[in-house]
Amino acid sequence: MLTGLQAIVLAAGKSSRFKTKRTKLVEKICGQEMVLYTTKLLESLAIPTAVVVGYQKDLVTAAITHAHDERVAFIEQEEQRGTGHAIICSQHHWTQDHILILNGDVPLLTARIIEELYQKHCASQAAISFVVAHNSEPLHSYGRVITADGRIEIVEAKEFTGDAHEHCCINAGVYIASRAFLEQSISNITLNEKAQEFYITDLVKIASEKQLPVCTTVAPFDRIRGVNTFQELWAVEQITRAELIKYWMSEGIRFTAAQNVHIDLGVTIGSGSVIGCGAHLLGNTRIGTDCTVHAFSIIESSIVGDNCTIESHSIVKRSILGNDVQVGPFAHLCEQVTAEDHSIIGNFVEVKRSRIGEYTKAKHLSYIGDTTVGSQVNIGAGTIVCNYDGSTKHHTVIADQAYIGSNNSIVAPVSIGKGAFTAAGSVITDDVPDLALAIARARQVNKHLYAERMQSKRAHVSTKEHTETDATSFICAIRTDSEIESLE
Amino acid sequence: MLTGLQAIVLAAGKSSRFKTKRTKLVEKICGQEMVLYTTKLLESLAIPTAVVVGYQKDLVTAAITHAHDERVAFIEQEEQRGTGHAIICSQHHWTQDHILILNGDVPLLTARIIEELYQKHCASQAAISFVVAHNSEPLHSYGRVITADGRIEIVEAKEFTGDAHEHCCINAGVYIASRAFLEQSISNITLNEKAQEFYITDLVKIASEKQLPVCTTVAPFDRIRGVNTFQELWAVEQITRAELIKYWMSEGIRFTAAQNVHIDLGVTIGSGSVIGCGAHLLGNTRIGTDCTVHAFSIIESSIVGDNCTIESHSIVKRSILGNDVQVGPFAHLCEQVTAEDHSIIGNFVEVKRSRIGEYTKAKHLSYIGDTTVGSQVNIGAGTIVCNYDGSTKHHTVIADQAYIGSNNSIVAPVSIGKGAFTAAGSVITDDVPDLALAIARARQVNKHLYAERMQSKRAHVSTKEHTETDATSFICAIRTDSEIESLE
Amino acid sequence: MLTGLQAIVLAAGKSSRFKTKRTKLVEKICGQEMVLYTTKLLESLAIPTAVVVGYQKDLVTAAITHAHDERVAFIEQEEQRGTGHAIICSQHHWTQDHILILNGDVPLLTARIIEELYQKHCASQAAISFVVAHNSEPLHSYGRVITADGRIEIVEAKEFTGDAHEHCCINAGVYIASRAFLEQSISNITLNEKAQEFYITDLVKIASEKQLPVCTTVAPFDRIRGVNTFQELWAVEQITRAELIKYWMSEGIRFTAAQNVHIDLGVTIGSGSVIGCGAHLLGNTRIGTDCTVHAFSIIESSIVGDNCTIESHSIVKRSILGNDVQVGPFAHLCEQVTAEDHSIIGNFVEVKRSRIGEYTKAKHLSYIGDTTVGSQVNIGAGTIVCNYDGSTKHHTVIADQAYIGSNNSIVAPVSIGKGAFTAAGSVITDDVPDLALAIARARQVNKHLYAERMQSKRAHVSTKEHTETDATSFICAIRTDSEIESLE
């Protein structure tokens, strides 16, 4: 534990370079809001934390409170007048001997870097210590650390005019200051006239000028990447994603095209599972062992049992799958679906707020909503459950071993009994008792040689010219039943 | 403006290394034909341009004329006898003091390179000037620039036998020659016996031998990449794509997996929008602000308003979406669809040549073709509009606030009145007046205990052996209505 | 031919680092089991081969026998006691003068490396020769080759404690030993106490200590990559995939996003074809010339003729397509589908075990199973073939030029005659004669001003509050036909 240390997280800035009119701090990286990478890291180190909020503070505090309840304090910075000003605003929160100050937009920072900085800071009894990294590209987001004549200074990026190769040591924006030094020096931070901002980096200069010990620790550049633009966000997310995938590879998960997969931080996957090209595993999804998620499928906030197959181009959201369940291809489990063991949901099938029993199958072109389907039920191809009624949604119950014929319309609320079945093409509006057959369709009539009457019309249609318009013309011509009768 | 300069673009070659029997010059890179990268660049610099065409000249001239109308001239090279021969063919087009000669397969060239070359050319009063770059790989597509004893020479790639590391200076194929020099020297280009071609590079040798000033300017290799193979095309398209995505990132667009997205040159995107993994934005598509295009969706030549959501796995082509429209997942807006504000087109729904009014919804498994749908209409799940009739396609009109029941067949031409509604499972062949209910389905009959008759047959079906064939057997057994009657 | 050489492939290991409880040797890389890369390479060199199997030997022998019939011998290593022990087990198989020993998990090895090793081995009359490569990363899977005082030794990775930069020469695990030396030395391999394994690398030490000639040849690291983890598998598959795509590019295939495409080893593609982003070409699929496979489509074990278009988001499995066939988008050819020339299978259509004749179209939301469809047939939108009946599946026949109306249910077994047609919304249960019209639907009835009765209820529904529940309430309210009658 890092005794004597408290943290101030700077999260009040305007995110203007994102150009989205939204604070960047709640942009999600692998499913987690950016600022939570920092607050959760601090919580894992048991460092008491206060977050300085300002711009769109409601969004930022909501995200943090959702993750940490009341365990993180908030400090309001009403005007955004720079990092130095943010620290000034935080004064009345200083209770520990040392204050860790860091930005809320450095999501790849590790516990080890903070521990090392604190250890060095204490060992050298520094007034202020900070993390540096090395990068010789002309970056616009990092101050440059200039050392000369025993003095150390941080030149803000926008004021830096030197050669980035020569001055490749950059400021990561992670500081530990002794509270005593802070209390002494805070009032000496001066307004930068050009930027009309107070810079926290002044503190380093102040300490250096007073010849107080200033200490630094070096971190890899990748770990201290800040996120000021969408390009930087992309880089950080790529790193996070790659680390997640490497981790799951080491846990026995095969990725057929690892570079094209998206996995959120909260996801777990059982060993022996295979994740296809382009698959998205989102939110707190849990995938069991020996599952296969085929290409281009998206699973969000769902639980998938063992030995399940999610065929390609499928979507499963906020749903629960048992073991040995097959889904897809082209299936859509919309929300609140429970698919029990050995059930099958096939292609062009949408299921919503429904329970699908064991060994039940709905394999083709169906819509099942607000329905409780028993076990060993077969839902025929083209079945539509009509589930809405006025202000409340109505429920359909299909009991065990029932057989729903193809192309049925099931008008809710309705019950189909155990072992009952319905004929193909039926519109089911009344309950069907157990073991009964329901039929609701017209009898077929063949009108003989009807087509001959159009023969002359058809004669001139050659194979090559045969187009869709011809193809359907004769059916559509018979638009009303009375027309048909008139032909007889 | 680059006064005194005219351009000859070489676009007559055979593209033999593409092996497609099509000229490479009309292959599209980020949605724009390769040769247009050159002609548009020249037009932006106001340089009068003539294009030497030969192989599949109709395709090349059509593409250029489509983009430039009559503003680009064409020169026909009937036989493809090399770059030198192409220049010979262009003689009667020389009107300016200096002639810029360049290949039509160098799409990443920039205005700055041409400007710099021309400036140096003029300043040094060179007979001929050309662009070079550095690459020490043994490339097959670039001549090597050899300087020795004050002389400069370009050795064609296929004649070069030296060490690419030693001779890493390559010829980009972009020349400016003074017209006076050209007129003097053009007849001195000699046929290369081995290749049976005239090489434009001879001109450099001729100038050098006459001790006339020859001038070069250096460009980054990436900018002068030529496209002779599909691998080179891929490299060039990757660079173009990356530049487009970086640009849109800087304009406030979030890409969740930038490396997997395809954006065409003509696309615009409003700030605050999010583009998912694998999304394709093609043609002249315009996306509004604060939209989300989810993973694996394809939008082509369409206009999308503000605040729209295109769910995953959707296709929108040649269509117009208002604001706050929701599409998908698994939706297909085929062509000529107008979806007005707040409309919703859901999963497994195809819409074609139709207008969908405000607040109208078609959420599940439907086909809507040649239909004008009013506002606040609900299209039930499984609805099919039968839109073709003989030689012409017929139109369907569904007025405001109408309600189409599930699984309806709407046989065009037909009108459904304002506030009218149709019962689930109906086949609508006649117009429905305003506020009327249309019903066109059979009454349901339950045949009690019908299933008992098969009980013995079913008894032996165990859970494990329960297969699809069993599941549907009983429904299918009842194939004709007379069979059902016989059961009673 | 490499006379006098036989091969022993080590394929008995436990694959414990994969954590899948499956032998890694049958994991597929670009569609081919890993171990077959080695056995097929050896077969191409006509080297008699025996494979040492142990862990999950049934899986390994099955894969090899399937590919090589009886041409590869198997040696069982009952206990997995290390590579040295595997060689001991192989003793009774030694018949040639030289024994090539290699691991079954080095799939990128080339003929050239083996030929070069054998040539050097023979030329230097070495006791034992082996392949080395250079890599200065601290790899966990490769022994380090240490040379000192004229002696050569391989230190196993887990025993290596030195600096990988200094000792960057690694052992590829590919050896040729003279049989005489092997017979002499095999009993001198000693049990490594720590690992409780016999190491084959002891042989190098033994030869070196006896001052017998030991010979090495250097290979690029990429070629000798071993596969011990899923991360290593990914790297090897990326290399294989890239090589395949580069090859097909050089054969005239355009890949719109080459880095996102998956192609199996057994696939062939005709020139002029275009393969879209995310496309998967699997198994022994053959694609003709001038085809386009659009984004996110998957073609497995299928034959596609010339000039076909597979639109995006489509799946074609175990099927045969003629020329000029159009499939998709969102089409699913499940298995055993034959789609003849010029046929069209459109969006949200599933076809299974069926033949689709020339110029036949099924364009929207249909399921066609176990059906023989003639030529020039039009299958209307929303058509469902109900193909199962009891224990056997029943067949449907739809003859040439038939026209199936929209939203039909076709209950198999049933025949629809030549030129016959069926009205929209029909349930076809009886055969339809040639040229007949079949109609099986109810007559439409309009209940006038029915909606007025709900007028007051509807009045309060404002535009903004207009939700789906309202939209369908009135239809659903009319649940039974008797209710409708009661309204009159």
Side-chain angles (χ1 to χ4, degrees):
Chain A
M1 221 179 97
L2 307 177
T3 331
L5 188 64
Q6 72 176 108
I8 308 290
V9 177
L10 308 184
K14 276 200 182 114
S15 314
S16 53
R17 291 172 63 195
F18 266 61
K19 297 193 183 167
T20 55
K21 298 176 192 148
R22 286 194 305 267
T23 171
K24 66 185 180 184
L25 294 161
V26 297
E27 283 286 343
K28 289 186 176 179
I29 296 170
C30 291
Q32 180 176 275
E33 288 86 351
M34 193 194 303
V35 71
L36 296 187
Y37 282 82
T38 304
T39 55
K40 287 191 173 179
L41 172 64
L42 296 170
E43 185 161 85
S44 76
L45 290 165
I47 301 174
T49 298
V51 179
V52 182
V53 292
Y55 181 67
Q56 295 188 345
K57 68 180 195 310
D58 293 345
L59 292 175
V60 178
T61 53
I64 294 171
T65 306
H66 186 260
H68 296 278
D69 292 325
E70 308 286 307
R71 299 188 302 277
V72 170
F74 296 101
I75 298 162
E76 193 169 341
Q77 180 187 17
E78 286 183 15
E79 286 177 278
Q80 277 76 61
R81 302 179 64 195
T83 50
H85 179 249
I87 296 307
I88 295 168
C89 295
S90 77
Q91 267 187 88
H92 56 288
H93 272 264
W94 301 346
T95 57
Q96 303 291 318
D97 290 345
H98 301 281
I99 321 287
L100 169 64
I101 301 161
L102 73 173
N103 291 316
D105 64 356
V106 189
L108 301 179
L109 200 68
T110 61
R112 207 180 138 172
I113 295 169
I114 291 175
E115 287 164 346
E116 195 173 296
L117 179 67
Y118 191 44
Q119 192 203 322
K120 285 195 178 181
H121 173 77
C122 293
S124 61
Q125 296 188 299
I128 186 164
S129 303
F130 60 102
V131 178
V132 301
H134 294 99
N135 193 309
S136 54
E137 288 176 71
L139 305 162
H140 300 298
S141 311
Y142 301 89
R144 297 275 156 183
V145 180
I146 312 289
T147 327
D149 307 326
R151 287 202 188 165
I152 188 161
E153 191 185 342
I154 299 168
V155 181
E156 292 286 332
K158 45 186 141 178
E159 324 236 316
F160 179 72
T161 55
D163 176 3
H165 278 84
E166 194 181 335
H167 301 289
C168 69
C169 182
I170 60 175
N171 172 30
V174 180
Y175 315 84
I176 293 177
S178 90
R179 184 169 138 209
F181 168 69
L182 264 190
E183 284 170 343
Q184 253 182 342
S185 314
I186 193 80
S187 58
N188 297 332
I189 299 180
T190 56
L191 185 73
N192 181 298
E193 289 298 334
K194 204 162 137 200
Q196 284 293 307
E197 285 194 1
F198 294 90
Y199 289 147
I200 193 173
T201 47
D202 274 14
L203 291 171
V204 172
K205 200 177 166 191
I206 293 166
S208 192
E209 279 170 356
K210 291 189 181 165
Q211 304 200 321
L212 297 170
V214 173
C215 167
T216 63
T217 190
V218 181
F221 177 70
D222 269 354
R223 292 291 126 208
I224 61 95
R225 282 173 178 273
V227 178
N228 294 294
T229 64
F230 273 122
Q231 221 181 307
E232 288 171 351
L233 179 71
W234 174 75
V236 162
E237 191 164 50
Q238 282 288 96
I239 292 169
T240 308
R241 208 179 264 150
E243 284 171 353
L244 280 168
I245 287 171
K246 275 168 81 169
Y247 170 77
W248 289 113
M249 280 180 169
S250 75
E251 290 294 302
I253 314 305
R254 166 139 202 207
F255 294 87
T256 62
Q259 70 277 22
N260 294 333
V261 161
H262 184 95
I263 297 185
D264 275 353
L265 212 59
V267 169
T268 64
I269 316 173
S271 68
S273 288
V274 178
I275 309 299
C277 174
H280 285 53
L281 306 181
L282 305 174
N284 290 310
T285 290
R286 284 173 13 213
I287 308 280
T289 58
D290 299 310
C291 289
T292 302
V293 178
H294 284 279
F296 315 122
S297 282
I298 299 174
I299 306 182
E300 185 178 326
S301 306
S302 296
I303 297 172
V304 176
D306 297 336
N307 206 29
C308 289
T309 302
I310 311 297
E311 295 287 353
S312 68
H313 307 86
S314 295
I315 302 175
V316 177
K317 288 192 178 173
R318 291 181 294 286
S319 293
I320 299 170
L321 275 57
N323 299 323
D324 303 283
V325 173
Q326 290 177 46
V327 171
F330 306 108
H332 184 200
L333 277 59
C334 230
E335 54 166 328
Q336 296 175 47
V337 175
T338 301
E340 297 183 352
D341 295 359
H342 299 278
S343 58
I344 302 180
I345 294 165
N347 59 176
F348 314 122
V349 175
E350 175 185 3
V351 189
K352 201 169 176 173
R353 292 182 306 271
S354 295
R355 170 173 290 267
I356 306 295
E358 293 189 5
Y359 290 96
T360 284
K361 301 179 176 89
K363 296 181 68 170
H364 326 267
L365 294 123
S366 295
Y367 170 62
I368 300 168
D370 295 300
T371 303
T372 302
V373 186
S375 63
Q376 300 175 54
V377 171
N378 187 280
I379 308 280
T383 297
I384 303 289
V385 175
C386 181
N387 56 324
Y388 288 106
D389 172 10
S391 49
T392 60
K393 283 160 190 161
H394 279 295
H395 205 86
T396 297
V397 175
I398 302 176
D400 295 351
Q401 287 138 14
Y403 301 95
I404 307 299
S406 295
N407 238 351
N408 273 217
S409 310
I410 314 280
V411 184
V414 74
S415 265
I416 295 172
K418 187 171 174 179
F421 49 90
T422 67
S426 296
V427 181
I428 301 300
T429 52
D430 297 319
D431 288 352
V432 183
D434 289 359
L435 296 174
L437 159 71
I439 185 154
R441 69 185 184 205
R443 296 282 301 269
Q444 179 178 342
V445 177
N446 288 337
K447 310 283 178 178
H448 288 280
L449 296 178
Y450 172 84
E452 289 225 318
R453 307 188 187 190
M454 286 90 165
Q455 207 71 330
S456 57
K457 203 175 165 188
R458 303 180 84 177
H460 72 279
V461 182
S462 83
T463 299
K464 276 280 170 189
E465 291 166 6
H466 177 80
T467 65
E468 185 174 18
T469 36
D470 302 312
T472 49
S473 60
F474 307 109
I475 304 140
C476 298
I478 307 162
R479 291 187 46 257
T480 67
D481 295 63
S482 54
E483 264 190 72
I484 293 164
E485 272 160 30
S486 73
L487 284 166
E488 288 178 291
Chain B
M1 220 180 98
L2 307 178
T3 330
L5 188 64
Q6 71 177 109
I8 307 289
V9 177
L10 309 183
K14 276 201 181 114
S15 313
S16 53
R17 291 172 63 195
F18 265 62
K19 297 193 184 165
T20 54
K21 298 176 191 145
R22 285 194 305 268
T23 170
K24 66 184 179 185
L25 294 161
V26 297
E27 283 286 343
K28 288 186 177 178
I29 296 170
C30 290
Q32 181 176 274
E33 290 86 350
M34 194 194 302
V35 72
L36 296 186
Y37 282 82
T38 304
T39 56
K40 287 191 173 179
L41 173 63
L42 296 169
E43 186 161 84
S44 76
L45 290 165
I47 302 173
T49 298
V51 179
V52 182
V53 293
Y55 180 68
Q56 296 188 343
K57 68 180 192 313
D58 293 345
L59 291 176
V60 178
T61 52
I64 293 172
T65 305
H66 186 261
H68 296 278
D69 293 326
E70 309 286 308
R71 298 188 302 278
V72 169
F74 296 100
I75 297 162
E76 192 168 342
Q77 180 187 19
E78 286 185 15
E79 286 177 277
Q80 277 74 63
R81 301 180 65 195
T83 50
H85 179 248
I87 296 307
I88 294 166
C89 296
S90 76
Q91 267 186 91
H92 56 289
H93 272 264
W94 302 345
T95 57
Q96 302 291 318
D97 289 344
H98 300 281
I99 320 287
L100 169 63
I101 301 161
L102 72 174
N103 292 316
D105 64 356
V106 188
L108 301 179
L109 201 68
T110 61
R112 209 180 136 173
I113 294 169
I114 291 174
E115 286 164 346
E116 194 173 297
L117 180 67
Y118 191 45
Q119 192 203 324
K120 285 195 176 180
H121 174 77
C122 293
S124 62
Q125 295 189 299
I128 186 163
S129 302
F130 61 101
V131 178
V132 301
H134 294 99
N135 193 310
S136 54
E137 287 178 71
L139 304 162
H140 301 299
S141 310
Y142 302 89
R144 297 274 157 185
V145 181
I146 311 289
T147 327
D149 307 325
R151 287 200 187 167
I152 188 162
E153 191 185 341
I154 299 168
V155 181
E156 292 285 333
K158 44 186 143 179
E159 323 236 316
F160 178 72
T161 54
D163 176 3
H165 278 84
E166 194 180 338
H167 300 289
C168 69
C169 182
I170 60 174
N171 171 31
V174 179
Y175 315 85
I176 293 177
S178 90
R179 183 169 140 210
F181 167 70
L182 263 191
E183 283 170 344
Q184 253 181 343
S185 312
I186 192 79
S187 58
N188 297 333
I189 298 180
T190 55
L191 184 74
N192 181 297
E193 289 297 335
K194 204 162 138 200
Q196 284 294 306
E197 284 193 3
F198 294 89
Y199 289 146
I200 194 174
T201 47
D202 273 15
L203 291 171
V204 172
K205 200 175 164 191
I206 292 165
S208 191
E209 279 170 355
K210 290 189 181 164
Q211 302 199 321
L212 297 170
V214 173
C215 167
T216 62
T217 191
V218 180
F221 177 69
D222 269 354
R223 291 291 126 207
I224 61 94
R225 282 174 178 273
V227 178
N228 294 293
T229 63
F230 274 121
Q231 219 180 310
E232 289 171 351
L233 180 72
W234 173 77
V236 162
E237 191 163 51
Q238 283 289 95
I239 291 169
T240 307
R241 206 179 266 152
E243 284 171 354
L244 281 169
I245 288 172
K246 275 168 82 169
Y247 171 76
W248 289 114
M249 281 180 168
S250 75
E251 291 293 302
I253 315 305
R254 166 138 202 208
F255 294 87
T256 62
Q259 70 277 23
N260 294 332
V261 161
H262 184 95
I263 296 185
D264 275 354
L265 213 57
V267 169
T268 63
I269 316 174
S271 68
S273 288
V274 178
I275 309 298
C277 174
H280 284 54
L281 306 181
L282 306 174
N284 290 311
T285 290
R286 285 174 11 214
I287 307 281
T289 58
D290 298 310
C291 289
T292 303
V293 179
H294 284 279
F296 316 123
S297 283
I298 298 174
I299 306 183
E300 186 177 325
S301 306
S302 296
I303 297 172
V304 176
D306 297 336
N307 205 30
C308 290
T309 301
I310 312 296
E311 295 286 353
S312 68
H313 306 86
S314 295
I315 302 175
V316 177
K317 289 191 176 174
R318 292 182 292 287
S319 293
I320 299 171
L321 274 58
N323 301 322
D324 303 284
V325 173
Q326 291 177 46
V327 172
F330 306 108
H332 184 200
L333 277 58
C334 229
E335 53 166 328
Q336 296 174 47
V337 175
T338 301
E340 297 182 353
D341 296 358
H342 298 280
S343 58
I344 302 180
I345 294 164
N347 58 176
F348 315 121
V349 175
E350 175 185 4
V351 189
K352 202 170 176 173
R353 293 182 305 272
S354 295
R355 171 173 290 265
I356 306 295
E358 294 189 5
Y359 290 96
T360 284
K361 300 179 177 88
K363 296 181 68 170
H364 325 267
L365 295 124
S366 294
Y367 171 62
I368 300 169
D370 295 300
T371 303
T372 302
V373 185
S375 63
Q376 299 175 56
V377 171
N378 187 278
I379 308 279
T383 297
I384 303 289
V385 174
C386 180
N387 56 324
Y388 289 107
D389 171 11
S391 49
T392 60
K393 282 159 191 163
H394 279 295
H395 204 87
T396 296
V397 175
I398 302 176
D400 295 351
Q401 286 138 14
Y403 302 93
I404 307 299
S406 296
N407 238 350
N408 273 216
S409 310
I410 314 280
V411 184
V414 76
S415 264
I416 295 173
K418 188 171 172 178
F421 49 90
T422 66
S426 296
V427 181
I428 302 300
T429 52
D430 296 320
D431 288 351
V432 183
D434 289 359
L435 297 173
L437 159 71
I439 185 154
R441 68 185 185 206
R443 297 281 301 269
Q444 178 178 343
V445 178
N446 288 338
K447 310 284 179 178
H448 288 280
L449 296 177
Y450 173 82
E452 289 226 318
R453 307 188 186 191
M454 285 89 167
Q455 206 70 330
S456 57
K457 202 174 166 188
R458 303 180 86 178
H460 72 279
V461 180
S462 81
T463 297
K464 276 280 171 189
E465 291 165 7
H466 177 80
T467 66
E468 185 173 19
T469 35
D470 301 312
T472 50
S473 60
F474 307 108
I475 305 141
C476 297
I478 306 163
R479 291 187 45 258
T480 66
D481 297 61
S482 55
E483 263 189 73
I484 292 164
E485 272 159 27
S486 75
L487 284 167
E488 289 179 290
Chain C
M1 220 181 96
L2 306 178
T3 330
L5 187 64
Q6 71 177 108
I8 307 289
V9 178
L10 309 184
K14 276 199 182 116
S15 314
S16 52
R17 291 172 62 195
F18 265 61
K19 296 193 183 166
T20 55
K21 297 176 191 145
R22 287 194 304 267
T23 169
K24 67 185 178 184
L25 294 161
V26 296
E27 282 287 342
K28 289 185 176 179
I29 295 170
C30 291
Q32 181 177 274
E33 289 88 349
M34 192 194 303
V35 71
L36 296 186
Y37 282 82
T38 304
T39 55
K40 287 190 172 180
L41 172 64
L42 295 170
E43 185 161 84
S44 76
L45 290 166
I47 301 174
T49 298
V51 179
V52 181
V53 292
Y55 180 68
Q56 295 188 344
K57 67 181 195 310
D58 294 345
L59 291 175
V60 179
T61 53
I64 293 172
T65 305
H66 186 260
H68 296 278
D69 292 327
E70 308 286 308
R71 298 188 302 279
V72 170
F74 296 100
I75 298 162
E76 192 169 343
Q77 179 187 18
E78 286 184 16
E79 287 175 277
Q80 277 75 64
R81 302 178 66 194
T83 49
H85 179 247
I87 297 307
I88 296 168
C89 296
S90 77
Q91 266 187 91
H92 56 288
H93 273 263
W94 301 345
T95 56
Q96 302 290 318
D97 289 345
H98 301 281
I99 320 286
L100 168 64
I101 301 161
L102 73 174
N103 291 315
D105 64 356
V106 188
L108 300 179
L109 201 68
T110 61
R112 208 180 138 171
I113 294 170
I114 291 175
E115 285 164 347
E116 195 173 296
L117 180 67
Y118 190 46
Q119 193 202 322
K120 286 195 176 181
H121 174 77
C122 293
S124 62
Q125 295 189 300
I128 186 163
S129 303
F130 60 101
V131 178
V132 301
H134 294 99
N135 193 309
S136 55
E137 287 177 71
L139 304 163
H140 300 299
S141 310
Y142 301 89
R144 296 276 155 183
V145 181
I146 312 288
T147 327
D149 307 326
R151 286 200 187 167
I152 188 163
E153 191 184 342
I154 299 168
V155 181
E156 292 286 332
K158 45 186 143 180
E159 324 236 317
F160 178 71
T161 55
D163 176 4
H165 278 85
E166 193 181 339
H167 301 289
C168 68
C169 182
I170 60 174
N171 173 30
V174 180
Y175 315 85
I176 294 177
S178 90
R179 184 169 139 209
F181 167 70
L182 264 190
E183 284 171 344
Q184 254 180 344
S185 312
I186 193 80
S187 58
N188 297 333
I189 298 180
T190 55
L191 184 72
N192 180 297
E193 289 299 335
K194 205 161 135 200
Q196 284 294 307
E197 285 194 1
F198 293 91
Y199 289 147
I200 193 174
T201 46
D202 274 14
L203 290 171
V204 173
K205 200 177 165 191
I206 292 165
S208 191
E209 279 170 354
K210 290 190 181 164
Q211 302 198 322
L212 295 172
V214 173
C215 167
T216 62
T217 190
V218 180
F221 177 70
D222 269 354
R223 291 291 126 207
I224 61 94
R225 283 174 179 273
V227 178
N228 295 293
T229 63
F230 274 122
Q231 220 182 307
E232 288 171 352
L233 179 72
W234 173 76
V236 162
E237 191 164 49
Q238 282 290 95
I239 292 169
T240 308
R241 207 180 264 152
E243 284 172 353
L244 281 168
I245 287 171
K246 275 168 82 169
Y247 170 76
W248 288 114
M249 278 180 171
S250 75
E251 291 294 302
I253 314 305
R254 166 139 202 207
F255 294 87
T256 61
Q259 70 278 22
N260 294 333
V261 161
H262 185 96
I263 297 185
D264 275 353
L265 212 59
V267 168
T268 64
I269 316 174
S271 69
S273 288
V274 178
I275 308 299
C277 174
H280 285 53
L281 307 180
L282 305 174
N284 290 311
T285 289
R286 284 173 14 212
I287 308 281
T289 57
D290 299 311
C291 290
T292 303
V293 179
H294 284 278
F296 314 123
S297 282
I298 299 174
I299 305 182
E300 185 177 326
S301 306
S302 295
I303 297 172
V304 176
D306 296 337
N307 205 30
C308 289
T309 302
I310 312 296
E311 295 286 355
S312 68
H313 307 87
S314 295
I315 302 175
V316 176
K317 289 191 177 174
R318 292 180 293 287
S319 292
I320 298 171
L321 274 58
N323 300 323
D324 303 284
V325 173
Q326 290 177 44
V327 171
F330 306 109
H332 185 199
L333 278 58
C334 229
E335 54 166 328
Q336 297 175 47
V337 175
T338 301
E340 297 183 352
D341 295 359
H342 298 279
S343 57
I344 302 179
I345 294 165
N347 59 175
F348 314 122
V349 175
E350 175 185 4
V351 189
K352 201 169 175 174
R353 292 182 306 271
S354 294
R355 170 172 289 266
I356 306 295
E358 293 189 4
Y359 290 95
T360 284
K361 300 179 177 89
K363 296 182 66 169
H364 326 265
L365 295 123
S366 295
Y367 170 62
I368 300 167
D370 295 300
T371 303
T372 302
V373 185
S375 63
Q376 300 174 53
V377 171
N378 187 279
I379 308 279
T383 297
I384 303 289
V385 174
C386 180
N387 57 325
Y388 289 107
D389 173 10
S391 49
T392 59
K393 283 160 191 161
H394 278 295
H395 204 86
T396 295
V397 175
I398 301 177
D400 295 351
Q401 287 137 13
Y403 302 93
I404 307 299
S406 297
N407 238 350
N408 273 216
S409 309
I410 314 281
V411 184
V414 76
S415 265
I416 294 172
K418 187 170 173 178
F421 49 90
T422 66
S426 296
V427 182
I428 302 299
T429 52
D430 296 320
D431 288 352
V432 182
D434 289 359
L435 297 174
L437 159 71
I439 185 154
R441 69 185 185 206
R443 296 282 300 271
Q444 179 179 343
V445 178
N446 288 339
K447 310 283 178 179
H448 289 280
L449 296 179
Y450 173 82
E452 289 224 320
R453 307 189 187 190
M454 286 89 165
Q455 206 72 329
S456 57
K457 202 174 164 187
R458 302 180 86 177
H460 73 279
V461 181
S462 83
T463 298
K464 276 280 169 188
E465 292 166 6
H466 176 81
T467 66
E468 185 173 19
T469 36
D470 301 310
T472 49
S473 60
F474 306 108
I475 306 141
C476 297
I478 306 161
R479 291 187 46 258
T480 66
D481 297 62
S482 54
E483 263 188 74
I484 293 164
E485 272 159 29
S486 73
L487 284 166
E488 289 178 291

